[in-house]
Amino acid sequence: MKFVRFQMEDRTGYGIWEDDFIREISGSIFGDFEISSVKHTFSAVRLLPPAEPSKIICIGLNFRDHAEEIKEEIPKFPSHFIKPLTAIIGPEDPIFFPRVAQRVDYEGELAVVIKDRVKDITQEEALDHVLGYTCFNDVTERLLTRVQGQLTRAKGFDTFAPFGPCIATDLDPSQLTVRTYLNGKLMQEGQTANTVFSVPFLVHYISQCMTLFPGDIISTGTPSGIGPMQPGDVVEVSIDGIGTLRNRLQSLA
């Protein structure tokens, strides 16, 4: 099942992605809901970020090949940071090139969407608290990561957390391929089987530190092949079983 969140005129709602249309649902995707007979074509709606998280937790250096390409050691424990909610955008929304930026990179990732309130859960029960998965682009001002030695500024600019187009359920997060395209050219391709830390471990590990709420996002790291974008470039993060997240980089007026 694929959940989407959409806007139609002045109304927002949730629906199920079925072939070439969206079927509206009533109730909560995090609890009980009913599928209605009302359908919309994709051309009639604007897709929104498919969840409204209280926080976005991103994992760094979780793909071995990415750690190698930036000459960092494989971490013994997950390296994680939080993006502000002002960074959130959805499919087809523009990513803005900050005025203070010199190099803005794409980082295609698989993201986990939490289903309910959790704290201190085990690895064995972790997937029971996952609603599904979505595409995420951990947009980064690369030079600031080197100058400041921490990631909040480099990765926390407005529009630097695109995700979507849907939340896909019933997937095996250990058997997915993450691909990133820049202007149609394949730039990244990585298998989640090659990550250092699995999704169950990450949910367990993060929940030891902070309470997770329905809709919260854990983005699980990027494979090798990171690179810069220029204003006008189109970046797409694609994961089989989920779909494609597409955004264009745009200069600030």
Side-chain angles (χ1 to χ4, degrees), residues 13-220:
Y14 279 94
I16 304 293
W17 182 341
E18 296 183 353
D19 298 322
D20 296 326
F21 59 87
I22 296 168
R23 189 182 297 276
E24 280 197 35
I25 63 174
S26 59
S28 172
I29 64 171
F30 303 102
D32 296 326
F33 64 87
E34 294 183 357
I35 302 174
S36 78
S37 59
V38 179
K39 297 191 298 185
H40 306 291
T41 62
F42 280 90
S43 61
V45 304
R46 175 193 170 203
L47 287 183
L48 301 173
E52 297 177 276
S54 73
K55 50 190 166 293
I56 304 165
I57 306 105
C58 296
I59 308 300
L61 305 179
N62 198 26
F63 276 82
R64 293 174 175 84
D65 56 359
H66 173 53
E68 291 168 358
E69 78 172 335
I70 62 172
K71 298 178 173 58
E72 294 280 355
E73 293 183 3
I74 303 297
K76 294 181 174 61
F77 299 96
S79 169
H80 62 283
F81 55 93
I82 292 180
K83 290 204 177 203
L85 301 186
T86 49
I88 292 174
I89 58 173
E92 302 295 340
D93 290 338
I95 302 167
F96 288 113
F97 197 108
R99 291 189 178 91
V100 299
Q102 298 182 60
R103 171 175 163 168
V104 174
D105 283 11
Y106 54 81
E107 293 190 13
E109 306 190 359
L110 170 72
V112 179
V113 182
I114 298 300
K115 181 168 64 176
D116 49 16
R117 178 172 175 158
V118 291
K119 183 72 169 75
D120 277 334
I121 58 172
T122 66
Q123 287 190 67
E124 291 71 26
E125 62 185 329
L127 292 185
D128 293 335
H129 299 280
V130 170
L131 176 65
Y133 307 90
T134 191
C135 303
F136 191 90
N137 191 344
D138 178 18
V139 183
T140 302
E141 209 296 336
R142 184 63 57 197
L143 298 185
L144 286 176
T145 65
R146 301 165 184 165
V147 171
Q148 293 194 317
Q150 53 81 34
L151 299 176
T152 300
R153 182 169 173 83
K155 292 174 174 282
F157 286 95
D158 291 354
T159 74
F160 273 26
F163 69 93
C166 67
I167 302 169
T169 65
D170 304 318
L171 298 178
D172 181 350
S174 69
Q175 299 296 320
L176 299 174
T177 301
V178 180
R179 298 180 177 91
T180 306
Y181 298 86
L182 188 66
N183 300 323
K185 181 181 179 181
L186 180 64
M187 307 300 289
Q188 292 183 286
E189 184 171 19
Q191 286 70 44
T192 56
N194 296 329
T195 54
V196 181
F197 305 107
S198 69
V199 166
F201 181 82
L202 291 174
V203 175
H204 151 71
Y205 183 83
I206 297 297
S207 77
Q208 291 178 320
C209 172
M210 62 189 78
T211 301
L212 297 170
F213 293 95
D216 280 356
I217 299 290
I218 301 175
S219 199
T220 59

Side-chain angles (χ1 to χ4, degrees), residues 94-98 230-233 248-252:
I95 302 167
F96 288 113
F97 197 108
Q230 302 299 326
D233 285 348
R248 184 184 297 272
L249 186 65
Q250 181 175 318
S251 295
L252 286 169

Side-chain angles (χ1 to χ4, degrees), residues 227-245:
M229 302 180 286
Q230 302 299 326
D233 285 348
V234 174
V235 59
E236 297 171 295
V237 180
S238 182
I239 303 174
D240 293 341
I242 300 174
T244 299
L245 170 68

